[in-house]
Amino acid sequence: MRNVIRYLCLLIVMMCAGSLYSQTVTGKITDNENLPLPGASVMVKGTQNVVSTDMDGNYSIPNVAPGSVLQISFIGFVSQSIEVNNSTVINATLKASPNELDEIVVVGASVKRSDLTGAVGNLSGEKLKETPTPNLLQGMQGRIAGVYIQQNPTPGNGASIKIRGSNSISAGSTPIFVVDGLIMEGNFENINPNDVASIDVLKDASATAIYGSRGANGVVVITTKRGSRSGEGTVQFDTWVGVSEFSKQIPLMNGSQLFDLRVDAAANTYLDGQLPFDTSGVPLGLSRQEFINQITSDGSRVFAPYELESYRTGKSYNWLDEITRSGVQSNHNLSFSGGSEKGTYFVSMSFADQDGILKNSGFKRYNGKINLTQDVKSWLQIGTSTTFSRSEASYIDGGAFGTALGANPLLPIDRTATYLSYGEGIDNNQRNPILSLDIASVSKRNMLTTSNYISIKPVKGLEIRSTFGANIIDQGNFEYFPSYTGQSIGNSADGEAHHYRYSELNYQWDNTVTYSKVFADKHDINALFGYSAQKNDNNTTDLRARGFATDDLSYKYLAGASQRANSQLSSDFNTYTILSYFGRVNYTFDKKYMITGTIRRDGSSKFGPNNKWGTFPSAAVSWDIAKEDFLKDSKKINQLKLRTSYGISGNQNIGLYSYVTLYRPSFSGTSTSFSQYGFEGNPDIKWEKQKQLNIGFDAAGFDNRLSVSANYFYTDNTDLLLVRKAIPSLGYKDKLENIGALNNKGIELTISGAIVQTKDFRWDVSANISSAKNKITKLSGDNSPIYNFGGFTGSEIQRDNNRIVGKSINSIYVFQYDGIAQQGEDLSSINYGGRVVMPGDIKIKDRNGDGIISDSDRYVVGNVDPNYYGGFSSDLNYKGIGLNMIFAYSIGGRRTSGVYEGYMYGTGRTAAHTDLLDRWTPTNTDTDIPRAYYNGGRFNLGDTDKGIQNASFLRLNALTVSYTLPSDLLSRIHLKGLKLYVTGSNLFTITKYKGYDPESGDTPNLRMIVTGLNVSL
């Protein structure tokens, strides 16, 4: 026992001695440009003693014994091991890992960003996360020059994206997404933003040329996160919860105001010598007040008893409140990453849950991802990037929101009524929105995305790489309309079930050979040659069944449908393939001068045998003046690169089988016949061609604290595919031909700067502005305009989708507003084409002076594309307390709003905007709002440029206040990082647009307050 006590005492003395000789080591971790690396790991080798650097790259690690080794690592950088000895201050500079940080994966090949000589925009995964959202595109908005994104607040629906405007009239403008080398053309909302390491947007012909025809509308390259070869594992948990509401409410009249509006409208119509609706039996010749007394008394034909009762008791009802709520959103993400000298791993799981503002609407998404790389041999590497995503979206009937918004505020809430009404009349199109909540409408999608590669490096500088990827989608949409809803009753359905199934298999096989060599320390050559094959198979099945004995089984028992003759069936199967050969050579001399040449030859099954193949070359040159002898020692100029590129790409974003004439069989009695379907086939259709010139420069100075990038581009688009009227005797109305031309030009400017960088305080700012303007230069034949006819008669020229040489493809074509007609004004000199114009009504400008208002008086008032768009941000941090602001803006675009125009009719028999409170009356003539009127025959705001609204806006996308715990405190609780934050999304929008939102139009946008937590260990 005495010996045991001695040994214990000796052990305690040795431990105390070790503690006496241990020390606290501090320092700063930076990159090779002397910029701090926040979140870098500093660990005492062989122990669990580990800390992370703070926002300024500083660290403090206690209990470090002399002779210990510090292991310093950061994802994307080469790790370092430093022996402590007796030093208490150890600083380290980490070098970027060329295999991890500076590489993106394109068409099965790993390419350095520095080798992309064209116009490329970049957004890091950390910047993307500054906007808490499960939607990737929403986080990108306003962050990259030349990228125009419009939000879509509907749960589960993605935003729209365009790069450098429009370059086709009818073949679409959506770019492709390349996720870890796999091309995707949709379902972007299934990408988890937390998995993203970086986003590179390839914009000009040189940058996109490696994708040939696929890159005609730009390319968004997404590189997901990888593990680090540092040997240390990292666990990251990110979570946030938010509450959302409508960011704007349309100001509508209450019950009393709408009552007065209907009285005014009916009286104006009566005094014009016309009887308003439902006033048969009212004698003519009454004074205005006599007529008003009659229609506001009991027994009125203008107002129903319930409306008179609501008016007299001062009640007003809001039907929209019955189907809306505050939405709750949450997002949770857990990831594990790490690796060793032989390989890396990254595994993540995430769950996003969004309750829609409309009751019974929502979106859930489950994601799982695994990225692995493994060096099997020193010359052989394999890897995979695989993601599984399941999304579940639920919706309410598409018309419920509009019906509730426009419901009669004098109509008491009735949850059992089948239809709503104004006055005594029941409108079968106004189905009770509360009953519409009972309609089951769900969409379920499973998506597996995988990209797997094998890389062989037989000799230094040579890489042979083969990548096989697949995107598999299985989606089902299901609806059920209960028998008691207006939707079912209107179709005499006795309950209606709808099944829609979609299945897609898209696979891609890329094979590349890359060779890199530096000669004589100055000549750097990189050559890439490859082959790519892609095939897409998709099919749909659509089924509607009606007549169910009970609503209890919803859409789940189609066999219970009794109206077999009233069922509807359809299906479709499609396949298209693309085969490509490509090559690219980069040559750099002395790190100053770079020349890039690319050529790609694509074959697409969407074209006939006459024009199946297209060849698309490009070239680019750049010169970094800052590396010349007369500037290389400058401390104020770190980069001054001039670059230009020119290239040709193609567009094959058209429907399938347009080169052949399609027929479909139909059965009648005992015979089968084949009838025309779609366009008349045109075997000569060919690729749309896009010739693009880009001139730009990139500059950085003051130790890279200030950077500027600018681009000018001009694109000439020819052989554009347009629908042309076919020969009627052949039985076809339309034919697709290469007959159009369009040019598109614009500028882009990005500026970013580290305004203040001290030990305790940092302030970074960035801003970008872009412009893209297109003009049609050629149409078919004599270049006559191609008008979009429609409306009530089918022969009225519509406001949009008209094609006019010299104008934008997104032009708005309307009459010119000429003021409000006044009392005593001579209106007989103009023939208004059958429309009524009396005092208080809208007048139309006779632009051609022929005395007749006709379609020839229409003109292009503007277009929906903004003149300029972009965003700016500010990021302040003081001792771990952060304030981050992200803004997006758009200047000069025009937009219509069917909601606003519909509520400005002034009849009093629909919901009405409060702007009508300033309507024209004999005593209120100084206004631009027309008088109230009951019957039709007048010009409305939507017919004129007065109804085309300015869609310019400035939006605060996100405002975040955060706190990051200091490294010394984190080390005590064994964490690498912990950040708490509160974010307000879409807090305000400054705009003159009178619809719901200048981006989403008549769909209301959301404002959200979020609280979140980021933890790493």
Side-chain angles (χ1 to χ4, degrees):
M1 184 67 181
R2 187 174 299 172
N3 290 334
V4 172
I5 295 174
R6 289 175 180 172
Y7 285 128
L8 287 174
C9 292
L10 178 62
L11 179 61
I12 292 172
V13 171
M14 292 175 63
M15 292 176 62
C16 292
S19 298
L20 289 172
Y21 287 104
S22 66
Q23 57 194 348
T24 296
V25 177
T26 61
K28 184 172 184 177
I29 310 303
T30 59
D31 62 11
N32 53 0
E33 294 181 351
N34 201 35
L35 297 177
L37 291 177
S41 173
V42 181
M43 180 177 69
V44 179
K45 187 176 181 178
T47 74
Q48 298 298 315
N49 188 7
V50 60
V51 298
S52 295
T53 57
D54 61 18
M55 296 301 295
D56 297 313
N58 298 316
Y59 74 93
S60 176
I61 184 168
N63 302 323
V64 181
S68 300
V69 175
L70 293 185
Q71 288 185 325
I72 303 170
S73 61
F74 189 71
I75 294 177
F77 289 79
V78 178
S79 301
Q80 282 193 31
S81 296
I82 302 176
E83 189 172 350
V84 175
N85 296 323
N86 294 317
S87 302
T88 58
V89 177
I90 296 178
N91 300 319
T93 299
L94 301 186
K95 295 182 179 180
S97 170
N99 295 322
E100 296 180 10
L101 184 68
D102 192 42
E103 290 189 349
I104 60 176
V105 178
V106 296
V107 290
S110 189
V111 178
K112 291 184 179 180
R113 287 187 177 88
S114 56
D115 287 343
L116 297 172
T117 52
V120 180
N122 176 264
L123 180 67
S124 68
E126 290 303 312
K127 290 292 183 182
L128 180 68
K129 287 169 58 179
E130 290 177 353
T131 301
T133 172
N135 188 288
L136 177 81
L137 294 181
Q138 188 173 342
M140 291 173 58
Q141 187 185 38
R143 308 305 298 270
I144 304 174
V147 180
Y148 184 54
I149 293 174
Q150 290 183 296
Q151 297 184 25
N152 184 341
T154 304
N157 284 8
S160 66
I161 177 173
K162 286 198 296 188
I163 297 175
R164 291 188 164 182
S166 301
N167 286 299
S168 179
I169 295 178
S170 61
S173 58
T174 302
I176 61 170
F177 279 55
V178 181
V179 182
D180 294 330
L182 182 65
I183 295 176
M184 298 175 58
E185 295 183 345
N187 301 305
F188 312 138
E189 64 274 10
N190 284 71
I191 300 173
N192 177 18
N194 286 87
D195 289 340
V196 174
S198 67
I199 299 174
D200 294 273
V201 178
L202 316 184
K203 296 180 283 190
D204 72 340
S206 175
T208 65
I210 200 70
Y211 294 97
S213 64
R214 312 301 298 278
N217 294 319
V219 181
V220 180
V221 180
I222 296 176
T223 303
T224 58
K225 293 177 180 177
R226 300 289 189 272
S228 169
R229 293 179 181 262
S230 66
E232 180 192 0
T234 298
V235 180
Q236 180 78 34
F237 178 66
D238 302 315
T239 183
W240 57 260
V241 178
V243 178
S244 59
E245 62 181 8
F246 289 142
S247 61
K248 177 182 178 179
Q249 298 284 357
I250 299 293
L252 298 179
M253 289 185 177
N254 60 31
S256 176
Q257 293 167 332
L258 189 70
F259 186 95
D260 293 339
L261 177 67
R262 195 187 305 178
V263 168
D264 193 18
N268 288 340
T269 307
Y270 177 81
L271 292 179
D272 280 354
Q274 301 183 46
L275 284 177
F277 298 126
D278 302 329
T279 57
S280 57
V282 177
L284 295 175
L286 299 178
S287 68
R288 182 183 183 89
Q289 191 57 51
E290 289 173 333
F291 175 78
I292 291 174
N293 291 341
Q294 187 167 115
I295 65 173
T296 56
S297 302
D298 292 338
S300 168
R301 302 290 297 274
V302 173
F303 293 98
Y306 70 84
E307 292 178 312
L308 292 172
E309 174 66 19
S310 296
Y311 175 72
R312 291 166 181 170
T313 57
K315 293 181 179 179
S316 187
Y317 301 93
N318 189 326
W319 284 76
L320 186 61
D321 286 347
E322 300 299 315
I323 68 166
T324 57
R325 64 187 176 186
S326 294
V328 178
Q329 298 188 36
S330 63
N331 192 80
H332 315 283
N333 192 86
L334 177 65
S335 66
F336 307 87
S337 62
S340 65
E341 295 180 356
K342 292 292 186 179
T344 65
Y345 65 88
F346 173 82
V347 179
S348 74
M349 296 162 282
S350 70
F351 172 63
D353 189 7
Q354 179 181 1
D355 289 335
I357 297 295
L358 301 180
K359 294 177 180 178
N360 296 349
S361 68
F363 175 74
K364 290 181 171 61
R365 187 187 67 207
Y366 309 84
N367 277 65
K369 184 172 186 64
I370 181 168
N371 286 346
L372 300 175
T373 62
Q374 181 66 37
D375 296 339
V376 181
K377 300 289 184 179
S378 60
W379 49 270
L380 175 64
Q381 185 183 80
I382 59 174
T384 184
S385 175
T386 300
T387 302
F388 176 77
S389 173
R390 176 175 174 82
S391 62
E392 300 174 355
S394 56
Y395 310 97
I396 70 169
D397 180 68
F401 174 78
T403 300
L405 178 65
N408 187 352
L410 296 170
L411 176 65
I413 304 296
D414 184 353
R415 291 171 173 78
T416 62
T418 304
Y419 303 106
L420 306 189
S421 62
Y422 276 83
E424 294 284 7
I426 300 295
D427 188 346
N428 291 346
N429 293 318
Q430 298 294 307
R431 293 129 180 182
N432 190 334
I434 301 176
L435 288 184
S436 294
L437 294 175
D438 295 340
I439 296 173
S441 181
V442 299
S443 176
K444 301 178 181 181
R445 178 193 297 153
N446 295 321
M447 188 168 78
L448 177 66
T449 303
T450 182
S451 179
N452 311 278
Y453 74 89
I454 178 171
S455 173
I456 300 173
K457 298 178 181 179
V459 295
K460 184 178 180 181
L462 178 65
E463 179 183 11
I464 303 170
R465 185 178 178 119
S466 183
T467 304
F468 182 83
N471 189 23
I472 305 170
I473 300 173
D474 181 68
Q475 180 173 331
N477 298 346
F478 308 99
E479 291 180 295
Y480 185 77
F481 301 90
S483 57
Y484 53 84
T485 62
Q487 291 85 343
S488 177
I489 294 173
N491 291 328
S492 301
D494 286 332
E496 178 179 339
H498 177 212
H499 283 202
Y500 173 85
R501 289 190 175 275
Y502 176 80
S503 178
E504 178 180 341
L505 169 61
N506 180 72
Y507 74 77
Q508 178 182 327
W509 187 28
D510 300 322
N511 297 279
T512 59
V513 177
T514 306
Y515 182 72
S516 300
K517 181 70 173 179
V518 178
F519 300 92
D521 293 329
K522 290 190 176 183
H523 304 276
D524 189 344
I525 295 178
N526 178 281
L528 167 70
F529 300 96
Y531 157 90
S532 177
Q534 184 172 357
K535 183 177 182 179
N536 181 287
D537 284 311
N538 63 79
N539 64 82
T540 62
T541 303
D542 201 342
L543 169 64
R544 289 185 181 272
R546 300 181 175 96
F548 291 88
T550 177
D551 295 319
D552 294 342
L553 300 179
S554 188
Y555 54 77
K556 299 175 182 178
Y557 185 58
L558 294 182
S562 61
Q563 299 180 20
R564 301 301 174 92
N566 197 22
S567 62
Q568 297 174 355
L569 295 170
S570 67
S571 62
D572 202 5
F573 288 75
N574 296 290
T575 298
Y576 68 87
T577 57
I578 298 175
L579 187 62
S580 306
Y581 303 91
F582 51 88
R584 186 187 62 216
V585 176
N586 289 337
Y587 170 69
T588 304
F589 175 71
D590 202 20
K591 299 182 181 180
K592 305 175 191 176
Y593 316 103
M594 177 178 285
I595 300 175
T596 301
T598 306
I599 188 167
R600 177 163 174 144
R601 185 162 173 80
D602 286 331
S604 172
S605 65
K606 293 184 178 181
F607 299 98
N610 297 346
N611 296 289
K612 190 176 294 290
W613 289 89
T615 302
F616 309 107
S618 75
V621 296
S622 66
W623 173 30
D624 193 347
I625 303 174
K627 293 181 179 177
E628 295 291 352
D629 292 341
F630 57 86
L631 280 179
K632 67 178 182 180
D633 294 327
S634 173
K635 296 182 179 180
K636 295 183 179 180
I637 301 177
N638 305 107
Q639 182 187 46
L640 184 58
K641 179 188 286 188
L642 305 180
R643 48 185 168 76
T644 185
S645 66
Y646 179 82
I648 301 173
S649 59
N651 194 342
Q652 53 102 48
N653 294 326
I654 62 173
L656 304 182
Y657 317 121
S658 298
Y659 62 91
V660 293
T661 301
L662 300 179
Y663 295 87
R664 283 187 171 178
S666 59
F667 182 77
S668 177
T670 59
S671 62
T672 301
S673 61
F674 288 83
S675 58
Q676 61 192 25
Y677 170 70
F679 299 137
E680 177 189 354
N682 179 5
D684 295 321
I685 60 172
K686 55 187 177 181
W687 300 81
E688 293 188 345
K689 290 184 179 179
Q690 183 186 109
K691 303 173 183 177
Q692 185 177 125
L693 170 70
N694 190 94
I695 301 173
F697 75 88
D698 304 303
F702 305 100
D703 292 328
N704 291 298
R705 291 178 59 180
L706 177 66
S707 63
V708 180
S709 180
N711 289 283
Y712 165 81
F713 65 89
Y714 179 88
T715 307
D716 187 26
N717 304 279
T718 58
D719 293 329
L720 300 186
L721 290 160
L722 288 173
V723 175
R724 186 176 185 178
K725 297 300 178 182
I727 301 174
S729 61
L730 297 179
Y732 285 86
K733 295 181 179 180
D734 302 315
K735 184 177 182 179
L736 197 62
E737 295 184 352
N738 297 89
I739 53 178
L742 170 80
N743 66 42
N744 181 34
K745 59 183 179 181
I747 59 169
E748 300 162 356
L749 176 65
T750 301
I751 301 175
S752 60
I755 305 301
V756 179
Q757 278 192 338
T758 66
K759 179 181 178 181
D760 295 329
F761 181 63
R762 190 191 75 247
W763 181 25
D764 299 328
V765 297
S766 66
N768 68 80
I769 185 170
S770 304
S771 174
K773 298 181 179 180
N774 65 75
K775 181 173 67 175
I776 297 174
T777 57
K778 181 184 177 183
L779 293 172
S780 60
D782 60 356
N783 285 328
S784 296
I786 301 176
Y787 293 117
N788 175 30
F789 293 100
F792 182 75
T793 65
S795 60
E796 302 169 16
I797 297 178
Q798 302 301 290
R799 295 184 292 186
D800 51 13
N801 294 322
N802 298 292
R803 311 307 184 199
I804 304 171
V805 170
K807 303 298 182 181
S808 166
I809 63 171
N810 298 311
S811 295
I812 302 176
Y813 193 60
V814 290
F815 291 116
Q816 183 176 349
Y817 174 84
D818 197 28
I820 301 294
Q822 301 295 332
Q823 292 175 323
E825 184 177 356
D826 182 12
L827 302 173
S828 61
S829 60
I830 300 293
N831 179 353
Y832 286 99
R835 300 288 187 104
V836 176
V837 177
M838 299 186 69
D841 294 335
I842 290 175
K843 296 187 299 180
I844 301 299
K845 181 75 171 179
D846 180 19
R847 290 179 60 87
N848 64 2
D850 64 357
I852 302 174
I853 301 301
S854 63
D855 284 338
S856 59
D857 291 304
R858 296 178 184 269
Y859 82 112
V860 174
V861 63
N863 67 82
V864 300
D865 297 323
N867 295 331
Y868 301 96
Y869 61 92
F872 54 93
S873 64
S874 172
D875 189 7
L876 298 97
N877 190 282
Y878 177 72
K879 292 186 176 181
I881 301 173
L883 176 65
N884 178 271
M885 295 177 285
I886 303 172
F887 292 85
Y889 66 87
S890 176
I891 302 172
R894 308 297 293 272
R895 187 160 192 156
T896 60
S897 171
V899 166
Y900 179 74
E901 294 167 15
Y903 296 152
M904 289 296 291
Y905 282 153
T907 66
R909 296 185 63 84
T910 64
H913 198 281
T914 54
D915 280 358
L916 280 166
L917 295 174
D918 189 35
R919 61 188 177 273
W920 187 95
T921 66
T923 58
N924 183 40
T925 59
D926 187 18
T927 179
D928 57 0
I929 306 297
R931 64 176 177 153
Y933 203 76
Y934 216 56
N935 295 343
R938 305 181 306 154
F939 290 103
N940 296 308
L941 283 178
D943 297 320
T944 74
D945 53 5
K946 188 70 174 177
I948 311 304
Q949 300 181 44
N950 185 344
S952 301
F953 69 87
L954 171 65
R955 187 193 310 277
L956 178 55
N957 272 359
L959 173 65
T960 300
V961 178
S962 63
Y963 178 66
T964 302
L965 268 66
S967 57
D968 55 345
L969 178 58
L970 291 172
S971 64
R972 298 175 194 168
I973 56 178
H974 306 290
L975 293 178
K976 287 185 178 180
L978 192 151
K979 177 181 178 181
L980 302 167
Y981 64 90
V982 177
T983 298
S985 297
N986 197 13
L987 290 181
F988 69 79
T989 301
I990 301 173
T991 183
K992 295 181 179 180
Y993 183 73
K994 294 195 173 183
Y996 265 111
D997 188 85
E999 286 188 284
S1000 58
D1002 291 334
T1003 301
N1005 214 328
L1006 306 180
R1007 177 185 298 115
M1008 185 167 64
I1009 303 297
V1010 166
T1011 59
L1013 169 70
N1014 299 337
V1015 181
S1016 61
L1017 53 92

